[in-house]
Amino acid sequence: MILTTLESVPGKTITQHLGLVQGSTVRAKHAGRDIMAGLKNIFGGELKGYTELLHESREEAIARMTEQAQSIGANAVLNIRFSTSSITQGASELFTYGTAVKLD
Amino acid sequence: MYELILFLTLLALGFGVGQYLETLHYKSIINRESSLRHIPAIATKHLPRDFTSCSTKMVYGNVVISIDFFKKFVSGMRSIVGGRISSYETLIDRARREAILRMKKQAACQGANYVFNVKMETSSISKGRRDSIGSVEVLAYGTAIIKSKSTNKHNNLIN
């Protein structure tokens, strides 16, 4: 499975377009991380817990998108974009989408 | 009275430790930027025509950075009179540069020569809460271009 943010893959031609695939995950922060974040709020600096949390969630979103692409018989996802939105307080949605294609 | 003392202590802590951490972070950013200068991050999505025998890999880096208590207070004051809030400017600047560096680091691990079609995405975490944590998340992502297998192997041997 080739994942790329470009519109094509060098040296390969697109034989079939299979449409949009997407993966998303909604994550809430847990209280322990929130307390640490509250402390960090005084001193400033990186919130490592949140960075990791969002990184993991995004990987899951990518995995879901890849799964969807595989199930419709694609071997690459082109033009991938990410998007983040906060739904309620303390929960955010990580969303990723792209075009599933068959490459030759 | 105790509240005032606590507030002033937090303000002083935020000012002292916050400034120190920011200086350290900027130093580390500048160092790593110069060490990763050999991988240019390019915003265009069209590859040059002769890039046919290269492999691609999606890379991304993210970071969440929080503002300190002193800066938050200053920016609160600033929002009364309006104008530039330079304390938030440095916060976002640090976050963006850090995210790009992490993306480039991932690209460097793959032995990449370029990162094409770099996009950035900024979101504020815990938006709309009254005692909200003034923190931003920046995600930078792009496609790493690894020019050819032979040079890639060569790089691995050196490392």
Side-chain angles (χ1 to χ4, degrees):
Chain A
M1 181 66 67
I2 297 170
L3 302 172
T4 174
T5 63
L6 300 174
E7 286 171 358
S8 61
V9 176
K12 305 217 170 166
T13 50
I14 298 165
T15 53
Q16 199 185 349
H17 268 280
L18 294 162
L20 201 70
V21 286
Q22 50 189 298
S24 79
T25 163
V26 180
R27 285 294 174 96
K29 306 165 297 191
H30 71 71
R33 276 172 173 159
D34 238 14
I35 291 164
M36 280 309 291
L39 283 179
K40 272 276 177 180
N41 200 11
I42 298 165
F43 302 124
E46 189 188 345
L47 306 176
K48 288 219 172 65
Y50 284 171
T51 306
E52 275 161 33
L53 178 79
L54 290 166
H55 185 78
E56 282 161 20
S57 321
R58 219 163 255 130
E59 285 203 329
E60 195 176 325
I62 293 171
R64 285 184 184 172
M65 182 180 69
T66 315
E67 212 171 89
Q68 200 189 343
Q70 260 161 357
S71 72
I72 58 172
N75 60 2
V77 183
L78 306 182
N79 216 357
I80 292 172
R81 294 286 177 272
F82 289 96
S83 153
T84 314
S85 51
S86 55
I87 296 181
T88 55
Q89 297 180 355
S92 50
E93 190 211 17
L94 293 312
F95 178 53
T96 174
Y97 58 101
T99 312
V101 291
K102 236 179 211 170
L103 292 177
D104 200 16
Chain B
M1 189 62 200
Y2 283 118
E3 275 177 7
L4 187 67
I5 290 170
L6 183 70
F7 175 75
L8 288 177
T9 317
L10 286 182
L11 212 59
L13 270 177
F15 181 71
V17 183
Q19 288 288 345
Y20 176 68
L21 286 179
E22 185 173 289
T23 319
L24 277 188
H25 192 203
Y26 262 125
K27 242 181 215 166
S28 124
I29 283 175
I30 289 164
N31 276 339
R32 281 177 297 153
E33 264 178 356
S34 59
S35 72
L36 284 167
R37 191 94 59 199
H38 64 284
I39 305 174
I42 298 162
T44 178
K45 58 185 171 185
H46 299 293
L47 290 180
R49 281 179 194 283
D50 55 329
F51 276 36
T52 46
S53 64
C54 53
S55 59
T56 63
K57 177 104 174 79
M58 190 169 74
V59 286
Y60 53 95
N62 73 323
V63 65
V64 180
I65 291 191
S66 164
I67 199 162
D68 62 57
F69 195 82
F70 177 75
K71 286 188 166 184
K72 203 173 170 185
F73 176 72
V74 169
S75 65
M77 293 283 105
R78 174 60 85 182
S79 66
I80 297 169
V81 289
R84 240 180 86 174
I85 307 179
S86 55
S87 53
Y88 274 109
E89 284 175 357
T90 55
L91 176 81
I92 295 182
D93 179 51
R94 275 159 70 198
R96 291 233 166 88
R97 286 163 83 170
E98 180 72 40
I100 289 179
L101 281 173
R102 288 188 184 179
M103 179 192 72
K104 278 191 177 181
K105 202 180 159 207
Q106 217 182 61
C109 289
Q110 311 281 343
N113 307 82
Y114 304 94
V115 184
F116 267 81
N117 203 6
V118 177
K119 304 263 174 197
M120 305 243 258
E121 154 106 12
T122 314
S123 58
S124 66
I125 290 182
S126 63
K127 199 189 301 181
R129 212 197 293 176
R130 218 181 327 132
D131 57 339
S132 77
I133 296 155
S135 55
V136 288
E137 196 227 359
V138 175
L139 166 75
Y141 58 103
T143 304
I145 306 290
I146 304 142
K147 273 198 98 174
S148 71
K149 290 269 155 36
S150 58
T151 52
N152 194 14
K153 250 180 215 161
H154 184 62
N155 282 341
N156 285 344
L157 282 179
I158 291 169
N159 294 334

